[in-house]
């Protein structure tokens, strides 16, 4: 794209301000900037203010395996899961491309130290959990770590400096996710600095496409990986490549599974796994009618009660089938640092605009079926989103201690 083409395009879209300072850039910077402009997904902009989500279908309770059944079939599930891991059929993807703005920590979120008397980093907690499975199966699980342009180097360096926390580095691969531009509340593109659009990672939903783009499909194939367990960086009690979960999904002939915790209060804020017109679907708490969130089953418990915790298992075959399907783009309010018209850098303390994100939960809806696999939140769910309060460093530390982790 040439400068003239960029000006014409941007002006036709009311975004002419973006070109200020263009002539002060070096040739290389101009080229990068024009490529950024060329890559803008203008169709995303039409979604702003258009939050009337598509009409939803008919909801029903999804197939699930709850704690008592898991306990009674433990040996059977575990044997099937361990067998798959031993055969090298299970890989894991750590979603670590997020900005973690709520935590407000400068390094990647996984570098946060939750230790009190000794160092214990979030990444280390996750690797320790995965190493338990590795020991049990006597086989390493290939771990693919998704980063973003913003935190890739810091993440790689951190792992290397800490000797991969005892994991075999031959089984760790990093890949970078795509970025998307950000706009203010009027839909105007924000600049990170003159000659550079403010961009941020495009959500966790593009992980499989990004893994392929990074050339890692050949690694997945060479290792014979048939199942991928995708999980978030922030849950320090996360069980990764859990043989029980894998075994139950395989033995039940499902193409995907979701770890879920039981919702006990109608008002609890969690995305719930349901069936929607017969297909697996995740309904966010704010999308749910009062009727639906309060509906009761015959035994008096909540009818829709399977809260997702961002730990999913996907069949690779199925992922290949859906990877080119379009995912819904979500418009999300965030704090976006930018440079104002006078060239001043602004770091907002409150959300000041929108980012466009793809979400992994939308991939679940593309699956033919999905198993809700219940886990006990006291043992497996300690997300760190904030420093204090709900889902925080404080609450996660308490839960880690309850689970016997020395901090
Ligand atoms: P969150 O929804 O908590 O987003 O991500 P975030 O960006 O990390 O944090 P906030 O909202 O700014 O505080 C859930 C999981 O998805 C990953 C995160 O790293 C985390 O593991 N994620 C999120 C990505 O990998 N890429 C993204 O673009 C967004």
């Amino acid at each position: 794209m040439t400068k003239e083409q960029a000006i014409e395009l941007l002006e036709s879209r009311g975004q002419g301000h973006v070109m200020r300072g263009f002539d002060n850039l070096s040739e290389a910077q101009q080229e990068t900037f024009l490529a950024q402009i060329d890559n803008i997904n203008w169709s995303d902009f039409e979604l702003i203010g258009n939050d009337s989500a598509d009409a939803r279908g008919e909801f029903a309770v999804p197939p699930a395996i709850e704690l008592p059944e898991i306990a009674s079939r433990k040996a059977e599930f575990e044997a099937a899961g361990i067998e798959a891991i031993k055969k090298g059929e299970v890989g894991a993807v750590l979603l670590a491309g997020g900005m973690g703005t709520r935590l407000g920590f400068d390094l990647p979120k996984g570098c946060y130290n939750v230790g009190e008397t000794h160092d214990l980093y979030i990444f280390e907690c996750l690797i320790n959990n995965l190493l338990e499975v590795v020991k049990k199966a006597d086989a390493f699980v290939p771990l693919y770590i998704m980063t973003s342009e913003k935190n890739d180097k810091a993440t790689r360096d951190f792992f290397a400096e800490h000797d991969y926390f005892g994991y075999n580095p031959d089984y760790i691969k990093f890949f970078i996710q795509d970025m998307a531009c950000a706009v203010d509340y009027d839909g105007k593109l924000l600049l990170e600095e003159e000659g550079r659009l403010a961009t941020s990672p495009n959500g966790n939903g593009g992980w499989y496409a990004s893994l392929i783009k990074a050339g890692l499909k050949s690694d997945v194939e060479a290792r014979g990986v048939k199942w991928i367990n995708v999980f978030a960086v922030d849950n320090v009690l996360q069980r990764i490549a859990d043989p029980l979960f894998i075994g139950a999904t395989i033995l039940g002939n499902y193409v995907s599974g979701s770890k879920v915790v039981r919702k006990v209060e109608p008002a609890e804020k969690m995305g719930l796994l349901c069936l929607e017109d017969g297909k697996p679907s995740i309904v966010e708490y704010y999308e749910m009618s009062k009727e639906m969130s309060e509906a009761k089953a015959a035994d008096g418990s909540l009818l829709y009660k399977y809260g997702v915790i961002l730990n999913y298992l996907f069949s690779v075959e199925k992922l290949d089938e859906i990877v080119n399907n379009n995912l819904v783009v979500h418009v999300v309010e965030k704090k976006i640092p930018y440079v104002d018209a006078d060239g001043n850098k602004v770091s907002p303390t409150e959300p000041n605009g929108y980012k466009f994100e793809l979400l992994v939960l939308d991939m679940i809806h593309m699956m033919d079926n999905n198993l809700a696999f219940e886990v006990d939140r006291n043992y497996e769910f300690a997300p760190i989103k904030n420093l204090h309060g709900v889902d925080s460093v404080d609450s996660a530390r308490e839960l880690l201690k309850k689970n016997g982790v020395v901090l």
Side-chain angles (χ1 to χ4, degrees):
M1 167 175 274
T2 61
K3 175 184 169 187
E4 291 66 33
Q5 284 167 332
I7 292 174
E8 195 184 327
L9 173 69
L10 291 165
E11 284 186 349
S12 71
R13 298 202 170 253
Q15 304 282 358
H17 64 287
V18 159
M19 291 299 278
R20 69 171 186 252
F22 183 85
D23 293 332
N24 303 332
L25 304 176
S26 69
E27 213 169 299
Q29 286 170 326
Q30 288 186 348
E31 211 171 293
T32 315
F33 188 41
L34 291 173
Q36 265 196 322
I37 294 166
D38 209 14
N39 271 327
I40 295 172
N41 270 334
W42 295 103
S43 56
D44 292 351
F45 288 57
E46 286 153 31
L47 303 167
I48 298 171
N50 178 15
D51 46 14
S52 57
D54 289 347
R56 305 295 299 240
E58 190 82 8
F59 289 109
V61 178
I65 298 196
E66 297 187 355
L67 292 172
E69 186 180 350
I70 295 169
S72 68
R73 299 180 64 188
K74 186 169 182 251
E76 182 194 355
F77 291 157
E78 188 164 278
I82 292 285
E83 190 192 335
I85 295 168
K86 271 189 187 302
K87 285 201 268 179
E89 291 176 357
V90 181
V93 169
L94 164 54
L95 301 171
M99 298 286 281
T101 49
R102 283 169 285 176
L103 185 62
F105 178 56
D106 283 345
L107 291 173
K109 195 188 261 189
C111 307
Y112 193 87
N113 190 351
V114 291
E116 289 174 337
T117 59
H118 67 113
D119 292 340
L120 182 65
Y121 304 99
I122 292 180
F123 282 138
E124 186 175 8
C125 293
L126 300 174
I127 295 289
N128 287 346
N129 296 349
L130 184 54
L131 278 170
E132 284 180 23
V133 174
V134 167
K135 273 194 203 116
K136 199 174 258 177
D138 195 21
F140 273 92
V141 171
L143 175 63
Y144 304 94
I145 302 180
M146 183 166 86
T147 61
S148 80
E149 256 173 33
K150 308 257 178 193
N151 69 12
D152 183 68
K153 185 173 180 323
T155 305
R156 286 175 197 252
D157 289 352
F158 195 76
F159 269 91
E161 278 158 24
H162 292 90
D163 289 329
Y164 300 86
F165 302 106
Y167 214 74
N168 182 341
D170 293 344
Y171 286 82
I172 297 189
K173 304 269 179 231
F174 297 87
F175 65 101
I176 299 184
Q177 70 171 104
D178 287 340
M179 304 293 278
C181 58
V183 295
D184 67 12
Y185 285 136
D186 297 322
K188 297 281 183 206
L189 284 161
L190 289 166
L191 290 172
E192 193 172 285
E193 55 193 57
E194 293 210 337
R196 195 169 174 79
L197 294 178
T199 57
S200 62
N202 70 341
N204 55 29
W207 67 270
Y208 193 60
S210 297
L211 181 146
I212 293 177
K213 202 166 153 188
L216 287 174
K217 189 65 209 298
S218 56
D219 190 83
V220 168
E221 278 168 0
R223 294 180 191 271
V225 173
K226 293 193 175 145
W227 295 93
I228 295 184
N229 182 200
V230 184
F231 63 99
V233 71
D234 41 44
N235 176 9
V236 284
L237 285 181
Q238 189 98 248
R239 309 308 305 174
I240 305 146
D242 174 357
L244 295 178
F245 178 37
I246 296 161
T249 308
I250 293 176
L251 293 176
N253 284 319
Y254 290 93
V255 295
S256 66
S258 308
K259 282 204 164 185
V260 296
V261 294
R262 186 174 290 244
K263 177 179 165 179
V264 281
E265 282 293 320
E268 259 184 280
K269 292 182 174 176
M270 45 172 61
L272 293 189
L273 184 68
C274 303
L275 284 181
E276 184 176 356
D277 294 335
K279 291 202 75 182
S281 176
I282 292 162
V283 186
E284 287 293 357
Y285 65 91
Y286 49 80
E287 297 173 315
M288 210 170 298
S289 66
K290 192 165 177 303
E291 256 175 332
M292 189 176 172
S293 57
E294 290 178 352
K296 297 269 164 48
D299 66 358
S301 65
L302 288 176
L303 185 63
Y304 297 104
K305 59 184 170 211
Y306 299 125
V308 288
I309 58 170
L310 224 176
N311 187 317
Y312 303 108
L313 187 67
F314 290 98
S315 123
V316 171
E317 199 182 330
K318 201 65 211 166
L319 286 171
D320 286 334
E321 261 175 63
I322 63 137
V323 66
N324 293 322
N325 293 7
N326 283 336
L327 284 167
V328 180
V329 177
H330 297 259
V331 181
V332 192
E333 280 189 68
K334 293 265 181 177
K335 294 180 236 171
I336 307 153
Y338 67 100
V339 60
D340 68 16
D342 301 321
N344 303 312
K345 289 207 168 191
V346 185
S347 294
T349 50
E350 293 300 323
N352 60 320
Y354 303 112
K355 289 181 177 175
F356 303 102
E357 294 195 340
L358 307 175
L359 300 180
V360 64
L361 56 84
D362 290 317
M363 292 169 84
I364 292 291
H365 196 46
M366 296 178 181
M367 297 287 123
D368 304 328
N369 52 50
N370 181 274
L371 173 68
F373 181 90
E374 190 188 0
V375 299
D376 186 331
R377 68 170 77 191
N378 292 310
Y379 302 133
E380 294 205 24
F381 192 44
I384 296 180
K385 301 285 185 193
N386 307 293
L387 255 186
H388 306 294
V390 180
D391 295 343
S392 67
V393 173
D394 297 345
S395 58
R397 280 188 172 137
E398 283 313 306
L399 280 163
L400 280 166
K401 284 184 212 162
K402 276 196 189 141
N403 280 278
V405 179
V406 178
L407 295 186

